[in-house]
Amino acid sequence: SKDVKGVLAYSTAASLGFALFLFLTVNPHLAILLMVAHGFVKASLFMAFGEAEMRVGRSLARLTLAEKE
């Protein structure tokens, strides 16, 4: 996918699956710790990407290496 926010969302779904696996098989406390850490990291990534989009002035999903303006 070319959309960075979409890739971040798919990785969140994968992390939720892993947290469910941890919760059911290993240790529920590890699952909670994983989700808290994941939330902090994902929030900072979304904020950094949004800031970069605002500074560029358009969606970064449409930028390619071939574009030279």
Side-chain angles (χ1 to χ4, degrees):
S1 174
K2 292 182 182 180
D3 186 17
V4 176
K5 289 181 182 177
V7 172
L8 290 175
Y10 281 122
S11 67
T12 298
S15 184
L16 284 172
F18 185 63
L20 181 63
F21 169 75
L22 284 177
F23 187 80
L24 294 175
T25 59
V26 181
N27 188 348
H29 295 94
L30 286 178
I32 293 169
L33 178 65
L34 172 72
M35 292 315 300
V36 169
H38 175 79
F40 281 119
V41 169
K42 216 37 90 103
S44 60
L45 283 173
F46 267 103
M47 288 175 58
F49 189 71
E51 178 68 22
E53 279 187 335
M54 284 188 354
R55 288 184 185 258
V56 169
R58 61 182 173 158
S59 175
L60 294 179
R62 290 185 238 136
L63 292 180
T64 64
L65 294 175
E67 278 187 86
K68 300 282 182 177
E69 293 183 35

